[in-house]
Amino acid sequence: MDLLEYQGKQLFARHGLKVSSGKAVTSVEDAVAVANEIGYPVVVKAQVLIGGRGKAGGVKLAADEAQAREHAANILGMDIKGHIVRTLWIEHASDIAAEYYASVLLDRSAKRPLVMFSVEGGVDIEEVAQRTPEKLVRHHVDALAGLSREEAVDIATTGGADADVVDGVADALLALYEVWMAEDATLAEINPLIVTPAREVRALDAKVSLDGNALFRHPESQGLSDSENEDPIERRAKEEGVQYVKLDGDIGILGNGAGLVMSTLDVVAQAGGRPANFLDAGGGSDAEKIKQAVDLLLANDAVKAVLFNIFGGITRCDEVARGLIAAFEEIKPSVPFVVRLDGTNDVEGRRLLQEASLPNVHAAKTMNEAAEMVVALAAGQAVGASA
Ligand code: GDP
Ligand code: MN
């Protein structure tokens, strides 16, 4: 679960990491009122779950009320790489002497937390990592022992932090590590971590991702999910307890079992198709569950055809076919479906489908055949063998 900058900063502040004080607003009037209250200059910052806001024009300094109004009006509603700005964060502007970079994440290959630090922050850190890797300090932490003050000082010194702010940077790294650990974050990143002319070290930006599976341990963070920016269908699926992931193609994928759904994605991609989403209908064959799953899949307007891939094991294909027939009697899908039934009682299942002669439903025996059919159907081509 990704947090907006201001939500990340609130977590930072809770763990003693220095941030500028500010307020989140959703209207131009509130933005101006908050800016007046904070005192100029202020920064008006788009709150969207995407980086590079500054370059896109979503971060602006305002010296007075007129500028605050102008920037707030321009940034609210702005489309930043497909993310519409609905919330602004207004904070008192900082004077900047240096822009550093700091992050903590889990290095899966090393099986350890990784702390990274660079004095070349602010700009694209990926570029620093690529072009001048020696300017990005990478330090693995013993997760049981935690990050010690000595290690933090060493990271700051090795990274080339100015001598008079090594302590301040070490404090920031320790606090950031604590945020990462205590909040069950998968990523905690500050870019830039600034040094002010008064030599104070402060987080000017925050990128925090929390582990959604650990949210039950953090009741205070449960309200942070950015439901406004979350895909509404993914939200509905979550509420209904269905495994659903949105992608950006035009073929809906439905299967029973996570492994089968994953392979279905691969086979469809191999046949030249682009999945629009995928949904795991689980083991059951219950018509109500199938109907719910199909409803969710079709809620996405981009879906032009659906592949329903069933491998009958404990779940018998004839039961699934009955569930499907009952579901389709209610839903009457507007896009073509390809149903692949294989495994236990598949012959009977396909026979039932055939007999029901549902409009827009095509039966297939193998996964490859089904994938080719659904790709053709999504492209508007006709296929044979209708159920
Ligand atoms: P990002 O572009 O999405 O990473 O947004 P940031 O919050 O990192 O802001 C982008 C850039 O705007 C920073 O690297 C700073 O150079 C600049 N910036 C942000 N806040 C301030 C501020 O308070 N004062 C000054 N002078 N510049 C700021
Ligand atoms: Mn940034």
Side-chain angles (χ1 to χ4, degrees), residues 2-174:
D2 298 336
L3 302 190
L4 293 167
E5 172 198 359
Y6 82 92
Q7 297 170 328
K9 281 180 167 170
Q10 284 167 355
L11 282 190
F12 285 179
R14 225 182 276 165
H15 292 275
L17 192 59
K18 283 184 195 139
V19 292
S20 305
S21 56
K23 262 192 189 153
V25 296
T26 55
S27 73
V28 175
E29 282 320 308
D30 287 351
V32 171
V34 166
N36 285 338
E37 186 187 312
I38 291 174
Y40 296 94
V42 297
V43 212
V44 180
K45 308 184 78 173
Q47 298 299 291
V48 281
L49 296 175
I50 189 90
R53 294 165 301 157
K55 278 186 193 160
V59 176
K60 292 279 185 199
L61 289 168
D64 54 38
E65 181 173 329
Q67 283 183 1
R69 184 179 299 279
E70 184 191 334
H71 295 322
N74 285 339
I75 298 174
L76 269 176
M78 188 182 263
D79 181 335
I80 301 182
K81 300 176 203 166
H83 296 248
I84 306 297
V85 181
R86 296 195 179 89
T87 304
L88 298 174
W89 172 248
I90 314 285
E91 71 176 26
H92 189 70
S94 306
D95 287 329
I96 303 176
E99 299 197 7
Y100 295 169
Y101 169 90
S103 64
V104 182
L105 51 91
L106 179 67
D107 183 347
R108 287 175 190 277
S109 46
K111 299 177 188 148
R112 290 189 157 203
L114 174 65
V115 177
M116 293 197 276
F117 172 72
S118 176
V119 293
E120 307 248 319
V123 287
D124 295 319
I125 195 68
E126 287 81 6
E127 226 167 83
V128 175
Q130 216 164 36
R131 278 207 228 144
T132 49
E134 68 282 1
K135 289 192 172 149
L136 183 68
V137 179
R138 297 162 54 92
H139 176 85
H140 286 104
V141 178
D142 177 338
L144 293 179
L147 181 69
S148 70
R149 172 140 210 112
E150 290 68 35
E151 282 173 282
V153 166
D154 192 50
I155 294 167
T157 312
T158 312
D162 292 341
D164 64 329
V165 293
V166 162
D167 272 332
V169 169
D171 287 340
L173 291 174
L174 287 165

